[in-house]
């Protein structure tokens, strides 16, 4: 099959429109239509259902689109490796991690990385969904559990604990709980146990809620939980790394702990020689060493 025709087919399938695909490819609508029609004739099949609102892939079109998607991802990987054969660290690096870790720990530290590598462009994808690294949905991932996908290089970075925190102002006004039962006199701020989060965090919240706490504020990510705690709304379930950047937070009920949650960095085996990956990996490791040192100095480790 002709690669030009496949490339144009993929753009049309991705856009769902001949016009939009033509704009992306800098081709006229008629030229795009001719190429798609020629591809259909060469395969002796129909790839699109055509209707007034646009184009929908047929079953055969879906099969071909899956194949062209995989081809393009492989070509992107090859292009990335070629670019990384140079000495400079530049270009796009797609990083995926959880909303909590990305907003509360990673993003505030990225200025240091950009200062050292100003030509590096980070595409930071914050979501609880685990993206497929071998299929190049992202280049590198930081996750709260060891990745199970094959053909990945993985490194354990650190451990996180979910604990209870409040502000001194809130505790001065409402009092400091001494037992789990005392939480009934406070507002608990946490994620709903059914929302996407690490299992240990959900288990801790479930244990706390079993005490029939009358006042609860649910937020669907830890950034929101932190903001509510900082505004003196109650006692929040938060990852312990927040105390580095918010040292005034007070830990409540020290015996309440989720247990150890491992944090892993992972990237595809085929990007082993990537200088962008190496620069990001080394930056994260250096920041974690600094993080642990500061926690020891604060007495929070």
């Amino acid at each position: 099959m002709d690669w030009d025709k496949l490339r144009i087919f993929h753009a049309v399938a991705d856009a769902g429109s001949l016009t939009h695909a033509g704009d992306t490819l800098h081709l006229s609508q008629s030229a795009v239509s001719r190429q798609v029609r020629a591809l259909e004739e060469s395969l002796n099949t129909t790839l699109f259902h055509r209707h007034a609102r646009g184009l929908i892939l047929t079953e055969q079109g879906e099969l071909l689109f899956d194949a062209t998607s995989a081809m393009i991802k492989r070509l992107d990987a090859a292009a990335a490796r070629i670019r990384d054969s140079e000495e400079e660290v530049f270009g796009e690096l797609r990083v995926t991690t959880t909303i909590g870790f990305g907003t509360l720990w990673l993003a505030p530290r990225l200025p240091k990385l950009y200062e050292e590598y100003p030509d590096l462009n980070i595409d930071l994808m914050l979501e609880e969904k685990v993206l497929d690294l071998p299929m190049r949905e992202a280049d590198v991932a930081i996750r709260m559990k060891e990745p199970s996908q094959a053909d990945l290089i993985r490194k354990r970075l650190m451990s996180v604990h979910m604990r209870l925190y409040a502000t001194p102002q809130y505790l001065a006004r409402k009092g400091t709980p001494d037992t789990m039962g005392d939480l009934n006199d406070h507002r608990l701020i946490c994620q709903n146990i059914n929302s996407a989060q690490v299992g240990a965090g959900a288990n801790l919240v479930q244990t706390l809620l079993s005490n029939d706490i009358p006042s609860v504020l649910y937020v669907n990510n830890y950034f929101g939980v932190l903001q509510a705690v900082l505004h003196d709304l109650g006692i929040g379930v938060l990852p312990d790394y927040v105390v580095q950047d918010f040292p005034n937070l007070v830990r409540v009920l020290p015996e309440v702990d989720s247990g150890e949650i491992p944090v892993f960095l992972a990237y595809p085996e085929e990007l082993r020689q990537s200088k962008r990956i190496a620069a990001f990996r080394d930056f994260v490791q250096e920041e974690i060493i600094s993080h642990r040192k500061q926690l020891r100095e604060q007495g929070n480790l």
Side-chain angles (χ1 to χ4, degrees), residues 22-148:
D23 292 342
T24 301
L25 298 168
H26 305 293
L27 295 172
S28 67
Q29 179 180 340
S30 59
V32 172
S33 179
R34 282 196 303 272
Q35 292 291 336
V36 170
R37 191 161 52 248
L39 181 61
E40 289 179 321
E41 291 172 357
S42 69
L43 293 173
N44 194 29
T45 191
T46 301
L47 299 173
F48 294 100
H49 294 300
R50 293 161 173 82
H51 60 85
R53 293 190 304 274
L55 301 175
I56 298 176
L57 287 167
T58 63
E59 182 179 354
Q60 292 79 9
E62 291 280 4
L63 288 172
L64 188 59
F65 185 62
D66 288 344
T68 57
S69 296
M71 291 166 65
I72 286 172
K73 286 176 181 176
R74 296 293 292 180
L75 287 170
D76 287 344
R81 293 188 64 180
I82 291 168
R83 289 195 300 270
D84 284 332
S85 66
E86 304 292 335
E87 289 300 320
E88 298 84 2
V89 175
F90 70 97
E92 184 182 64
L93 181 68
R94 296 169 299 164
V95 178
T96 179
T97 189
T98 62
I99 296 171
F101 192 82
T103 57
L104 298 178
W105 194 90
L106 181 57
R109 289 163 173 78
L110 288 180
K112 294 182 181 178
L113 182 63
Y114 275 109
E115 185 176 346
E116 186 170 359
Y117 302 108
D119 296 325
L120 185 63
N121 298 317
I122 302 292
D123 182 359
L124 190 56
M125 296 176 281
L126 304 182
E127 52 186 307
E128 307 307 317
K129 174 187 173 184
V130 177
L131 299 184
D132 192 329
L133 296 184
M135 287 301 293
R136 297 304 308 279
E137 290 183 345
D139 299 316
V140 59
I142 299 177
R143 308 304 304 188
M144 304 300 115
K145 64 178 181 179
E146 184 169 6
S148 59

Side-chain angles (χ1 to χ4, degrees), residues 7-298:
R7 180 176 61 88
I8 292 170
F9 158 78
H10 183 88
V12 172
D14 194 45
S17 161
L18 293 171
T19 302
H20 292 158
D23 292 342
T24 301
L25 298 168
H26 305 293
L27 295 172
S28 67
Q29 179 180 340
S30 59
V32 172
S33 179
R34 282 196 303 272
Q35 292 291 336
V36 170
R37 191 161 52 248
L39 181 61
E40 289 179 321
E41 291 172 357
S42 69
L43 293 173
N44 194 29
T45 191
T46 301
L47 299 173
F48 294 100
H49 294 300
R50 293 161 173 82
H51 60 85
R53 293 190 304 274
L55 301 175
I56 298 176
L57 287 167
T58 63
E59 182 179 354
Q60 292 79 9
E62 291 280 4
L63 288 172
L64 188 59
F65 185 62
D66 288 344
T68 57
S69 296
M71 291 166 65
I72 286 172
K73 286 176 181 176
R74 296 293 292 180
L75 287 170
D76 287 344
R81 293 188 64 180
I82 291 168
R83 289 195 300 270
D84 284 332
S85 66
E86 304 292 335
E87 289 300 320
E88 298 84 2
V89 175
F90 70 97
E92 184 182 64
L93 181 68
R94 296 169 299 164
V95 178
T96 179
T97 189
T98 62
I99 296 171
F101 192 82
T103 57
L104 298 178
W105 194 90
L106 181 57
R109 289 163 173 78
L110 288 180
K112 294 182 181 178
L113 182 63
Y114 275 109
E115 185 176 346
E116 186 170 359
Y117 302 108
D119 296 325
L120 185 63
N121 298 317
I122 302 292
D123 182 359
L124 190 56
M125 296 176 281
L126 304 182
E127 52 186 307
E128 307 307 317
K129 174 187 173 184
V130 177
L131 299 184
D132 192 329
L133 296 184
M135 287 301 293
R136 297 304 308 279
E137 290 183 345
D139 299 316
V140 59
I142 299 177
R143 308 304 304 188
M144 304 300 115
K145 64 178 181 179
E146 184 169 6
S148 59
Q149 295 166 305
D151 301 323
L152 293 181
I153 297 173
R154 63 206 75 198
K155 179 175 179 58
R156 182 164 176 163
L157 296 173
M158 61 191 290
S159 295
V160 171
H161 294 253
M162 302 303 301
R163 293 168 175 168
L164 293 175
Y165 295 96
T167 61
Q169 294 83 0
Y170 172 83
L171 296 175
R173 188 176 79 246
K174 299 289 290 186
T176 301
D178 295 316
T179 67
M180 290 275 279
D182 292 340
L183 289 176
N184 291 333
D185 299 324
H186 296 268
R187 180 176 297 108
L188 182 69
I189 307 169
C190 60
Q191 291 200 55
N192 188 296
I193 59 173
N194 296 317
S195 65
Q197 59 182 306
V198 293
N203 292 338
L204 176 59
V205 169
Q206 190 167 27
T207 299
L208 294 170
L209 293 177
S210 68
N211 290 279
D212 296 322
I213 297 172
S215 182
V216 180
L217 170 63
Y218 293 112
V219 188
N220 68 347
N221 61 69
Y222 293 124
F223 179 78
V225 173
L226 175 63
Q227 292 304 308
V229 169
L230 292 176
H231 286 82
D232 306 326
L233 280 176
I235 297 173
V237 179
L238 286 165
D240 58 351
Y241 53 74
V242 300
V243 298
Q244 180 182 3
D245 296 322
F246 300 92
N248 289 332
L249 287 178
V250 177
R251 186 177 177 189
V252 176
L253 296 176
E255 72 276 10
V256 175
D257 191 305
S258 66
E260 189 174 83
I261 302 167
V263 180
F264 284 85
L265 181 144
Y267 52 93
E269 174 72 34
E270 64 190 29
L271 294 180
R272 176 185 290 273
Q273 303 302 323
S274 167
K275 290 180 171 59
R276 285 172 297 169
I277 295 279
F280 180 78
R281 179 198 62 214
D282 294 346
F283 155 75
V284 171
Q285 290 176 327
E286 289 167 5
E287 286 300 305
I288 286 174
I289 292 171
S290 174
H291 167 76
R292 293 178 62 85
K293 180 181 178 182
Q294 185 171 340
L295 290 185
R296 279 195 296 270
E297 292 171 351
Q298 294 174 353

